[in-house]
Amino acid sequence: MNEHLRIDREQGLLTLRLNRPDKKNALTRAMYRAMADALDQADQDKSVRAFLITGGEQCFTSGNDVSDFIQAPPSDLSSSEVFQFMRALFEFSKPVVAAVSGSAVGIGTTLLLHCDLVYVSRDAALKMPFVNLGLCPEYGSSVILPRLLGHARAAELLLLGQGFTGEQAAEWGIANQALEDGAATLAKAREVALSFQRLAPSAVIDSKRLMRAPGREELRRVIEEEGKLFSQRLRSPEAIEALTAFMQRRVPDFSKSA
Ligand code: COA
């Protein structure tokens, strides 16, 4: 297990809580590895009926640890820890519920597109600032978001990197419901996740598989393509400038980019 993750078991519910508050729950390679293991084990364990992912009542996650991106950009994303985590989430056969409060940046928003039920605080701040970091969309979001929101709104989120609130996420169908605060959000997500305890487990698994089946092979192909481009972009001068600027708390300068 990892010092920045807490895993709790309550009846058939496994709750994974990100716990790195001093860095706004930024995700390190070790955290991704531990999250992938937790998902893989929960999928094998017949007594687990649902998986809840949360960052607690204050902050979901500020996304990938930026210093990890600078110091150790994966050369082959498909063998990287983050890819292992997203693969485990993508392949997870049981329901995944998310409780989101505060910031959900980068992969913190992308991963919600692969959860089954998402509860957010009204004032949660979601954002996919990939272009702002010289990067590109990841894990199928370049296909899932335009389908869900239409091209115009998806372009605001992915080409401009515009942020949006929990309330908007619920209005647009990215989340199921927006609640008044972090405590109410976590309580609602937990109640829903625990309700799977009373449902027929195989019927739930079969239903999730059917819902996820259409376009799944195309999505796998897109995820692979996005992953290749993302690894290339991580080493680009644009990304190096943007990531360094974040760590130095300054605005990136793309004026010299071609
Ligand atoms: N990676 C590494 N460290 C991060 C981080 C990340 N993704 N996000 C935040 N931190 C660190 C900050 O550097 C700061 O560390 P310090 O106290 O040692 O200086 C600490 O966490 C608190 O962050 P700060 O920016 O001061 O908090 P805030 O409340 O003002 O803003 C965020 C919170 C999440 C809006 C802001 O931190 C942010 O935008 N983070 C970058 C997210 C990002 O671009 N992620 C995408 C990667 S693809």
Side-chain angles (χ1 to χ4, degrees), residues 3 22 27 30 92 96 110 112 127 129 150 159 188 225 237 239 241:
E3 55 172 326
D22 57 323
L27 298 165
F92 198 69
V96 182
T110 303
L112 302 177
K127 198 174 186 184
L159 299 186
K188 175 71 186 181
E225 208 176 299
E241 164 59 12

Side-chain angles (χ1 to χ4, degrees), residues 22-24 26 62-66 69 103 105 133 246 249:
D22 57 323
K23 295 291 177 190
K24 302 283 169 185
S62 57
N64 203 100
D65 189 290
V66 170
F69 264 163
S103 297
V105 188
L133 292 169
F246 171 77
R249 293 186 179 267

Side-chain angles (χ1 to χ4, degrees), residues 60-61 100-113 118-130 132 141 145 148-149 152-178:
F60 189 57
T61 170
V100 180
S101 298
S103 297
V105 188
I107 196 159
T109 293
T110 303
L111 75 83
L112 302 177
L113 306 174
V118 177
Y119 297 91
V120 280
S121 295
R122 251 180 222 134
D123 63 354
L126 299 96
K127 198 174 186 184
M128 288 166 287
F130 299 113
N132 315 63
S141 55
L145 277 176
L148 189 62
L149 310 178
R153 181 159 285 151
E156 288 175 345
L157 307 194
L158 292 177
L159 299 186
L160 296 173
Q162 272 181 12
F164 54 104
T165 63
E167 190 138 38
Q168 287 172 308
E171 208 177 293
W172 299 342
I174 293 174
N176 292 75
Q177 191 180 339

Side-chain angles (χ1 to χ4, degrees), residues 7 59 111 114 124 136 156 183 219:
I7 297 201
C59 179
L111 75 83
H114 297 280
C136 66
E156 288 175 345
L219 198 53

